[in-house]
Amino acid sequence: MTNPAVYIGHIQSYPGGRPSAIAKRQVDGALPLTPLGLEGDQQAEKSYHGGPDRALCHYPSEHYEHWRQQFPAQAELFSAPAFGENLSTRGLTEHNVFIGDIFRWGDALIQVTQPRSPCFKLNYHFDIDDLSLLMQQSGRCGWLYRVISPGQVSGDQPLLLATRCSDVSLAEAISIAWHMPFDEEQYRRLLSAAGLSASWSKTMLLRITRGKIEDFNRRLLGR
């Protein structure tokens, strides 16, 4: 059983006039979880953040030690919820959480839909030019959920694995999407994972149709 720390945030402006809700604050006590996320939590640029398939963001707290070691001069920046996560835990990582996993959390049911896709706003937030790229390469990305059944939730209630729906771990999904050369067989395997988000399904189908991997630069570097 894993009890999460819970965080919500509001949209703010960052250098370059880019809005973001990456800055979060911890919430104690019960609050409603809706199909679009925790009550009071906001997302900027909803074509890339939020929505039914991306209602919650989860980041393992044990990953922060890696980032503190990588960037000792900015070590004080790397602790939850620095990456804008809603949920922070120890014991759940990309290696033991799978696409489609359904967790019971309080009165709610939530389902893992995809790894988090690092974007260039992380670079602005930490003032590290290639942090998003380093996150993608490291595989320490975290993941996103859809809300299958809304309800009251809190950090006092554990995340309990209710159902495993696929054999594709998040670590494998990250490797398939970003670390290996073009491989249609692996893209079809990822597509077959029950619960995969619509956006990741679309990306894999486009790769198969076009016969090539898309350019990551816009998402990772903002160009």
Side-chain angles (χ1 to χ4, degrees):
M1 294 195 304
T2 303
N3 284 41
V6 183
Y7 307 95
I8 63 173
H10 295 133
I11 297 170
Q12 302 177 36
S13 292
Y14 284 88
R18 300 182 183 278
S20 175
I22 192 171
K24 308 279 188 194
R25 61 178 177 83
Q26 188 163 358
V27 179
D28 297 316
L31 72 166
L33 177 63
T34 77
L36 294 179
L38 293 165
E39 187 174 90
D41 191 47
Q42 296 180 340
Q43 298 90 25
E45 297 189 30
K46 293 189 177 182
S47 57
Y48 301 103
H49 304 283
D53 279 352
R54 299 176 290 209
L56 291 170
C57 179
H58 188 149
Y59 198 74
S61 64
E62 50 263 57
H63 287 348
Y64 281 110
E65 181 57 33
H66 167 82
W67 300 114
R68 287 191 288 268
Q69 291 175 3
Q70 293 293 305
F71 299 100
Q74 293 114 313
E76 74 281 355
L77 299 177
F78 290 104
S79 60
F83 286 122
E85 61 265 36
N86 300 115
L87 303 178
S88 176
T89 57
R90 295 195 71 86
L92 295 174
T93 73
E94 293 83 358
H95 293 277
N96 60 19
V97 176
F98 288 66
I99 297 292
D101 277 0
I102 297 174
F103 289 89
R104 180 169 295 282
W105 181 29
D107 297 333
L109 289 172
I110 59 178
Q111 183 175 37
V112 176
T113 57
Q114 64 172 80
R116 177 186 182 159
S117 301
C119 82
F120 63 86
K121 287 187 177 180
L122 293 171
N123 306 336
Y124 289 104
H125 185 63
F126 290 94
D127 197 23
I128 298 171
D129 289 343
D130 60 350
L131 183 61
S132 59
L133 176 60
L134 294 173
M135 179 184 278
Q136 179 166 297
Q137 291 173 338
S138 76
R140 295 173 174 86
C141 298
W143 57 90
L144 305 177
Y145 297 96
R146 69 170 57 90
V147 178
I148 292 178
S149 178
Q152 291 288 114
V153 296
S154 83
D156 297 325
Q157 298 166 313
L159 293 172
L160 301 171
L161 181 63
T163 306
R164 176 146 290 164
C165 299
S166 87
D167 66 352
V168 181
S169 71
L170 287 161
E172 288 181 289
I174 289 167
S175 180
I176 291 167
W178 299 324
H179 297 167
M180 63 174 56
F182 186 92
D183 189 329
E184 182 173 333
E185 182 179 346
Q186 289 298 318
Y187 302 153
R188 292 191 183 279
R189 177 172 174 244
L190 183 51
L191 277 166
S192 72
L196 186 70
S197 71
S199 64
W200 269 55
S201 296
K202 179 181 177 182
T203 296
M204 294 303 114
L205 285 168
L206 284 173
R207 286 189 188 181
I208 293 169
T209 301
R210 295 172 177 172
K212 65 179 183 179
I213 298 171
E214 71 280 2
D215 186 354
F216 300 144
N217 281 338
R218 181 182 178 192
R219 171 171 55 82
L220 292 174
L221 304 175
R223 62 173 183 264

